[in-house]
Structures are given as structure tokens and as C-alpha cells.
């Protein structure tokens, strides 16, 4: 857990506003994400956490700066090669599943890669999230928790080097939260996948993460090991956020 | 009615020509309309609103006006008729009828396809890209998710041309053994007072439309992405 998978340098993301002006939603001067770690990104709504995750999945280019992924630069005018882009995937807060069976949804990413016949991998992924019994059911008939587990299975079946999670357990019941956290922990420990977790929930960050980063107004305020972040925060804003005293 | 039951050669010729003209026009409309509809539904570009308004106007084109437009375009003194390009169809040929019907049907296919892909969950596109889809794979998947609406767009295009008479009458001329199709034959037989034959031809037309739509509905249950 020492080599950086990602290195972000001078990264900004600017969006146009409806009034024709520009708004900078992210400004990261320097951030390293290490091989095999679970990094939690915490912060209030609108802090830029999900934007950062989209950049890490190469879904949008940065407005300025460079994201190095496994040594390959991703810049405003330089795309990430498809083979490297496919080593990263995201599970979003609200899963959008295809109007097909659960099995076909999990198989989808493999089919994109020409590996649609990997039945054992699909079965193993469904087993891991406890959905094997529902493999033939239409994805539209799943409950919220089941749909999120199906979304997790379709990501894990790809055996990604980096798993990005955007509030994966928001609005889920404790059973599903526990199950998803357990799968994430096992994926990190057993497969060595790097995990970047966006969450509002500081308790979840503490349970899962090795390091935690606080984002406020698009800027990283502090990045620290989980113990230091929660017990000995360097920045007073981190302390206020951890104690739930931050007003935003 | 006896001619229909006996498999009259002229009648069969008319049915075959109807299917050839409308089938080819539908194929061309689908090849133009589905990519155009997908592009307009999935991308944002300057002038998109104007293009959408033009497309919606095209969906309501009166066939007879399209026929007039193609007639003027292809007539010897028209802008294209003077060019004598070998790939341009001449007036009063099946090729001219196909061109007119393509112009009638492709806005219908494109417009309904655009609406169908815009109706797909907006989060899905980003999520399938996050799973590693290329832009081409992503477009095919979204079209596949919108397949009910996409098939309806093709059915609407087919309905718009198999039943139209104004354009094919103007640019085809209803010439026996050459450009006579079911709809123009119905008009002719009605004018001659052969109501029985006109009704029978109408029934053949309805049956063809029904069977074709039945076949196309089979596509709604299929996925066609990678």
C-alpha cells in the first residue's frame, strides 16, 4: 500500500452556470491515492466529492491540471486509453439498471469487453452480494437495496483495479448497509482493489477507510490516516466536521 | 374480389410494387432516422432547438406537399432534373416514389427515436460509461433500452407511407405495370365506380399493414446492443 495509483496535480473543474458565468466546483492542488487503500472522501453536499469521482473514472476531463493514473496522464486534451479506463469503475448512489434480468445486468460490462461467456465470474459476483436466487428476475422488480447490490455485482464482476463508490449506502436499511460494507472490505482485502468512497457518513468512513479526506467548497482541507483524521485533526474545520458542529 | 382470391397477376404486381416502394423507403428512413434521432436525443449542440422544430415540422409534412416538392425537384426544368445525375431517379418511376416516401417517413422515425432515447433514465448513460462502454456501445445500449419507442418510430414511419396516396400519385403517376401501387389503384377503382374492387384492395392494404406491424413488434422484445 505505497505506490500511488492516482496523482492529481493542479486539477480544477469549472462548469458554466445558466446565467452564462463560470463556477469552479473543484480545485485540487495535490492528491495521491495509494495502491490498495480505501480512501474516504467526506464533506457536505456540493463540496465537489462526486465531481472528483467522475474525474477519477475519466467520465469528464478536468478543466485544468493533470490526473496521472498508473503513470498515464489525463488532461483537458488528452483522453485516458480505453484499456486503462476499463480498470476503473463506479457504483453510484442511485443505481440505474438495464431493463433486463439481474444476470444480464451483471454480464453487461463483461459483454462490452467481449467476455460475456464468463458464467462463473457472474455467478461468483451474484453470490458475493447475495443475489444468486434473483439472477433471472427482472432488474426493475428489485427493491432499493437489492438494486444497489446488483449495481455492486456488475462492478465487481469486472475485477477492477479501482472501485469508486458514490454514497453507495445512502437511504439503505442497516442490513444492506452492512452487507455492502462487508463486500467492499473483502474486495479491498482479498483482491487488493483500491477503493475511493464518497460518503456523508463519518461513521462509515471510520469503519471502512484507511485514510480520509475532507472536501469543502471544492478544496481538500485535510487528508490523514483514519485515526489522525478523527482523533487528532490538524485543521479546525476537520474537527468541526467530525464532531458534527459544522454548519453548511 | 374474385381477382384477389384467384391471385390475379396485375394485382400481385401492384402488391409487390407497393411493398418494394414502401419497404425500400422505410429501410432508407430507418437508416437515416434512427442515427439522426439518437444523435439529437443524446447530444447538445448549438442550433439543436431549431433542428428539433424542423424535425417536428417534418413529422407533419402533408404527403401531397412532399410529392409536389419532389416533382418540382426532379422535373426536367427543376434544379435536380437539369443535372442528369445517373443516381437521381426520374419522375414517374418507382425511384421517385421511394424518394418522396423517404422524405415523408424519416422525420417520423427520427422524431420518435429522439423522444424514445430522451425517455431513458438519464443516469444510465453515465453508469454504462463507468462500466467501460465506448461511445458507440453506449449509444447502442441506450437505443436498445429505448427499443419499444424505437420500434414504434419505425411502425409510425411505415404507417405514414404505406397508406399515403398524394405523393406517389404526383411523382409516380399511377402508370399501370410501372408505378401503380395499392393506394393509387384504390383511388382509380373508386373513380371508375368499381367499389367492390376498391374495398378488396383496401382490405389487402390493411392486411399487409397488420402483418408487417406484427413482424416489427417482435423486435420490441429483442436487445440489439453488443
Amino acid at each position: 500500500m505505497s505506490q500511488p495509483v492516482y496523482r492529481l496535480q493542479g486539477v480544477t473543474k469549472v462548469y458554466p452556470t445558466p446565467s452564462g458565468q463560470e463556477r469552479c466546483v473543484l480545485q485540487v492542488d495535490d492528491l495521491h491515492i495509494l495502491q490498495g487503500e480505501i480512501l474516504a472522501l467526506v464533506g457536505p453536499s456540493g463540496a465537489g466529492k462526486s465531481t472528483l469521482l467522475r474525474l477519477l473514472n475519466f467520465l469528464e476531463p478536468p478543466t485544468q491540471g493533470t490526473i496521472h493514473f498508473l503513470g498515464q496522464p489525463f488532461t483537458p486534451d488528452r483522453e485516458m486509453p480505453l484499456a486503462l479506463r476499463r480498470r476503473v469503475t463506479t457504483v453510484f448512489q442511485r443505481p440505474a439498471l438495464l431493463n433486463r434480468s439481474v444476470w444480464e445486468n451483471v454480464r453487461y460490462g463483461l459483454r462490452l469487453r467481449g467476455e460475456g461467456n464468463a458464467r462463473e465470474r457472474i455467478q461468483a459476483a451474484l453470490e458475493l452480494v447475495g443475489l444468486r436466487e434473483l439472477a433471472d428476475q427482472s432488474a426493475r422488480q428489485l427493491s432499493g437495496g437489492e438494486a444497489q447490490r446488483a449495481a455492486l455485482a456488475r462492478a465487481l464482476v469486472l475485477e477492477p483495479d479501482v472501485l469508486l463508490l458514490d454514497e453507495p449506502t445512502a437511504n439503505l436499511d442497516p442490513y444492506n448497509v452492512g452487507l455492502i460494507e462487508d463486500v467492499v472490505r473483502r474486495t479491498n482485502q482479498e483482491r487488493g482493489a483500491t477503493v475511493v468512497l464518497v460518503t456523508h457518513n463519518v461513521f462509515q468512513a471510520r469503519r471502512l477507510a484507511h485514510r480520509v479526506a475532507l472536501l469543502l467548497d471544492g478544496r481538500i482541507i485535510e487528508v490523514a490516516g483514519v485515526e489522525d483524521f478523527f482523533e487528532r485533526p490538524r485543521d479546525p474545520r476537520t474537527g468541526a466536521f467530525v464532531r458534527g458542529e459544522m454548519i453548511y | 374480389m374474385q381477382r384477389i382470391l384467384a391471385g390475379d397477376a396485375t394485382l400481385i404486381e401492384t402488391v409487390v410494387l407497393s411493398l418494394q416502394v414502401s419497404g425500400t423507403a422505410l429501410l432508407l428512413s430507418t437508416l437515416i432516422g434512427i442515427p439522426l434521432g439518437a444523435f439529437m436525443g443524446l447530444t447538445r449542440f448549438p442550433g439543436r432547438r431549431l433542428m428539433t422544430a424542423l424535425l417536428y415540422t417534418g413529422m407533419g409534412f402533408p404527403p401531397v406537399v412532399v410529392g409536389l416538392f419532389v416533382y418540382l425537384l426532379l422535373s426536367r426544368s427543376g434544379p435536380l432534373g437539369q443535372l442528369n445525375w445517373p443516381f437521381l431517379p426520374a419522375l414517374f418511376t418507382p425511384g421517385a416514389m421511394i424518394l418522396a416516401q423517404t422524405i415523408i417517413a424519416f422525420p417520423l422515425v427520427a422524431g420518435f427515436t429522439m423522444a424514445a432515447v430522451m425517455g431513458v433514465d438519464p443516469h444510465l448513460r453515465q453508469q454504462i460509461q463507468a462500466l467501460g462502454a465506448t461511445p458507440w456501445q453506449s449509444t447502442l445500449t441506450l437505443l436498445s433500452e429505448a427499443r419499444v419507442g424505437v420500434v414504434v418510430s419505425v411502425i409510425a414511419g411505415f404507417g405514414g407511407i404505406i397508406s399515403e396516396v398524394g405523393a406517389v400519385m404526383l411523382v409516380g403517376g399511377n402508370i399501370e405495370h410501372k408505378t401503380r401501387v395499392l393506394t393509387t389503384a384504390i383511388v382509380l377503382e373508386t373513380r371508375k365506380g368499381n367499389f367492390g374492387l376498391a374495398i378488396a384492395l383496401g382490405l389487402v392494404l390493411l392486411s399487409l399493414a397488420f402483418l408487417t406491424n406484427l413482424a416489427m413488434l417482435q423486435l420490441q422484445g429483442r436487445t440489439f446492443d453488443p
Side-chain angles (χ1 to χ4, degrees):
Chain A
M1 201 162 80
S2 56
Q3 290 294 315
V5 180
Y6 287 100
R7 218 173 66 236
L8 285 75
Q9 289 176 317
V11 169
T12 63
K13 186 67 190 178
V14 176
Y15 290 114
T17 62
S19 60
Q21 293 178 327
E22 290 188 332
R23 181 165 165 260
C24 181
V25 296
L26 191 70
Q27 187 167 353
V28 178
D29 297 328
D30 185 42
L31 176 68
H32 291 200
I33 300 172
L34 305 176
Q35 172 76 48
E37 75 167 335
I38 300 181
L39 172 69
L41 297 172
V42 297
S45 296
K49 306 184 300 290
S50 296
T51 302
L52 177 54
L53 227 51
R54 285 199 296 276
L55 297 186
L56 293 177
N57 204 166
F58 319 112
L59 297 173
E60 298 174 28
T63 307
Q64 283 181 327
T66 306
I67 299 172
H68 291 274
F69 175 64
L70 298 171
Q72 185 78 21
F74 178 56
T75 66
D77 43 27
R78 191 161 174 177
E79 289 189 2
M80 184 57 63
L82 183 64
L84 284 179
R85 191 156 71 78
R86 284 182 167 172
R87 294 169 74 168
V88 184
T89 192
T90 304
V91 176
F92 294 84
Q93 179 178 351
R94 203 182 75 69
L97 299 173
L98 301 169
N99 187 16
R100 304 174 194 177
S101 68
V102 174
W103 177 277
E104 282 302 320
N105 269 277
V106 177
R107 184 171 168 239
Y108 177 74
L110 292 170
R111 286 177 61 203
L112 294 176
R113 290 158 174 77
E115 301 168 13
N117 293 326
R119 292 185 62 86
E120 287 174 7
R121 277 168 71 182
I122 301 168
Q123 278 172 352
L126 285 169
E127 189 85 54
L128 191 63
V129 300
L131 285 181
R132 189 143 181 201
E133 304 299 314
L134 301 180
D136 296 328
Q137 192 166 317
S138 166
R140 293 284 160 96
Q141 294 172 340
L142 298 178
S143 68
E146 288 166 347
Q148 188 61 293
R149 279 149 55 195
L152 187 58
R154 78 176 172 183
L156 294 177
V157 77
L158 305 174
E159 299 175 353
D161 291 346
V162 179
L163 180 63
L164 307 172
L165 303 167
D166 191 358
E167 301 276 9
T169 59
N171 310 319
L172 295 187
D173 60 84
Y175 169 76
N176 278 298
V177 172
L179 198 148
I180 287 172
E181 285 186 3
D182 185 49
V183 170
V184 170
R185 205 176 282 114
R186 283 175 60 187
T187 302
N188 171 256
Q189 288 172 355
E190 294 170 12
R191 284 204 44 253
T194 305
V195 178
V196 181
L197 166 71
V198 161
T199 181
H200 276 105
N201 185 336
V202 288
F203 302 106
Q204 184 172 57
R206 193 163 193 167
R207 284 196 297 270
L208 284 176
H210 300 119
R211 289 196 307 153
V212 185
L214 172 67
L215 257 86
L216 284 180
D217 296 326
R219 290 174 175 271
I220 291 182
I221 304 301
E222 182 169 350
V223 190
V226 67
E227 284 300 312
D228 287 339
F229 188 89
F230 286 102
E231 302 300 333
R232 295 172 290 280
R234 289 193 306 273
D235 193 287
R237 288 169 292 183
T238 308
F241 185 81
V242 166
R243 291 190 299 274
E245 295 167 358
M246 185 172 281
I247 298 168
Y248 46 80
Chain B
M1 198 66 188
Q2 282 172 341
R3 285 173 63 185
I4 292 171
L5 293 174
D8 180 87
T10 309
L11 178 71
I12 290 173
E13 184 185 79
T14 308
V15 170
V16 168
L17 186 65
S18 291
L19 285 175
Q20 276 177 346
V21 168
S22 294
T24 311
L26 185 67
L27 181 68
L28 294 173
S29 305
T30 304
L31 291 175
I32 301 167
I34 289 181
L36 178 65
F39 174 75
M40 290 189 61
L42 297 174
T43 52
R44 299 288 175 269
F45 55 90
R48 181 176 175 273
R49 195 180 276 266
L50 177 67
M51 262 192 82
T52 305
L54 287 173
L55 192 63
Y56 286 164
T57 308
M59 291 170 79
F61 269 158
V64 71
V65 175
V66 174
L68 175 65
F69 170 74
V70 174
Y71 186 98
L72 294 174
L73 216 60
L74 296 180
S75 67
R76 280 193 184 280
S77 53
L80 298 181
Q82 295 173 1
L83 297 174
N84 279 326
W85 283 347
F87 57 85
L88 270 180
L91 269 180
F92 310 120
T93 62
M97 294 156 76
I98 290 169
L99 177 63
Q101 290 202 341
T102 303
I103 294 171
I104 294 166
F106 95 80
L108 288 164
V109 178
F112 284 119
T113 297
M114 182 178 85
V117 295
M118 285 172 73
V120 175
D121 184 342
H123 295 98
L124 183 65
R125 190 176 179 192
Q126 190 177 58
Q127 299 198 11
I128 58 181
Q129 283 170 351
L131 290 168
T134 62
W136 172 245
Q137 288 173 325
S138 170
T139 303
L140 282 182
T141 301
L142 293 173
L143 277 172
S144 181
E145 283 298 291
R147 59 191 174 274
V148 173
V150 173
V151 171
V152 166
S153 81
V154 179
I155 289 173
F158 181 70
I161 54 179
I162 192 71
S163 59
E164 76 85 21
V165 65
V168 284
M169 186 72 97
L170 266 178
V171 303
N174 193 26
I175 304 166
E176 193 171 16
H177 306 305
K178 199 175 170 203
T179 59
R180 182 162 298 164
V181 289
L182 279 167
T183 50
T184 55
I186 291 169
V187 172
L188 181 71
E189 296 305 330
T190 306
R191 280 187 185 152
K192 284 160 64 180
N194 295 332
F195 296 112
L197 181 57
I199 290 170
L201 289 168
L203 287 174
V204 172
L205 186 60
L206 281 174
S207 306
L208 281 178
F210 177 73
L211 291 173
T212 311
N213 286 333
L214 211 58
M216 282 195 272
L217 278 172
Q218 295 298 314
L219 293 172
Q220 283 190 331
R222 299 229 178 122
T223 57
F224 43 86
D225 62 331

